[in-house]
Amino acid sequence: MLDGLLLAKTVVTGSVVIGLSILAERAGPRIAGVLAGLPLGTAILYFFIGLEQGPGFVVAAAGHTLGGLIATLALCYAYWQASRHATDPARRLRGLARACLAALPAFGLAAWLLSLLELGFAAAAGLTLVAIAAAMAAMHAIPEQAMVRRVRLTPLMLLVRAGTAVAVVLAVTGTADLIGPHWAGLLSGFPLTFFPLLLVIHASYSAQHAHGLLRNFPFGLGSVTAYIVCAHFAFGALGVVAGSAVSMAAGLAYLLAYWLVSRALRPRRGGGAPA
């Protein structure tokens, strides 16, 4: 049973990351950035944590995961600021390393500060929405980039795309009983499908293309918020499998509503709304 779960975690997580990477290459950062905000990473973590620790653990962790989303926005902002002037293609990898060295500590620091707060679930949800709105405003100035060429999928590229996400899933689910719902929830907010995608796009194209993903990511993050809010109530009432399905439906409903609204507003705004 344990070996089967380990294999399932690895296969599911790796497949999701690789699929998002292929989508980013074919559709460009605008669509990929929004879809990367889908609750795929959180859903994977919640599903396996729920199976191993029980649905009550997920219910207790949900409010803390909202805090993890705020830490993720801190990661994105730090990544952007650390790489915004890295325009020299010859120094792309150096700029990527500098961005990682700024982004990961930013997530850790933000998560630690949030762990000190005693927020109820409603307060955590409200604070998360405020943080998303602030990130939208802050990153609106980032110009969008279109990918003009595809990157050949090599074994090393696949390893980079899937390895980080799989490592986070195995680490969080494997230690959930030790770190408890508080830190398991915070770490569940880590962008385990988005961050490897961001690194690959930065390494394969440029910092500007990575910024195109960052610009649109907060718009899609509302989908994760909808998933978590629904999971807080659905997992306890419906169990892990049905709760996961209902919560994912809530996340998809947000994304559909966002797409319809942005499409309706696009003619008035001259095509400026993300889609």
Side-chain angles (χ1 to χ4, degrees), residues 76-122:
C76 292
Y77 186 78
Y79 192 102
W80 172 41
Q81 290 298 315
S83 60
R84 64 184 303 180
H85 300 301
T87 58
D88 186 356
R91 299 183 176 181
R92 182 170 62 246
L93 294 182
R94 183 182 300 178
L96 186 152
R98 188 189 311 121
C100 287
L101 289 176
L104 293 175
F107 178 90
L109 177 60
W112 176 73
L113 291 174
L114 288 162
S115 73
L116 302 178
L117 300 178
E118 295 294 336
L119 297 176
F121 185 79

Side-chain angles (χ1 to χ4, degrees), residues 223-237:
S223 178
V224 189
T225 305
Y227 175 91
I228 295 169
V229 170
C230 187
H232 178 71
F233 300 100
F235 270 65

Side-chain angles (χ1 to χ4, degrees), residues 1 22 29-31 51 62-63 65 90 92 97 115 134 187 191 216 224 237 262:
M1 178 65 177
I22 295 173
R30 171 180 291 186
I31 294 176
L51 287 180
T65 306
R92 182 170 62 246
S115 73
L187 295 177
N216 292 286
V224 189
S262 63

Side-chain angles (χ1 to χ4, degrees), residues 9 45 48-50 52-54 57-58 61 168-185 187-188:
K9 294 174 188 178
L45 284 167
F48 288 114
I49 288 176
E52 294 176 321
Q53 305 298 329
F57 192 100
V58 172
V168 172
V169 168
L170 296 181
V172 175
T173 58
T175 61
D177 59 331
L178 299 177
I179 62 179
H182 193 127
W183 273 102
L187 295 177
S188 293

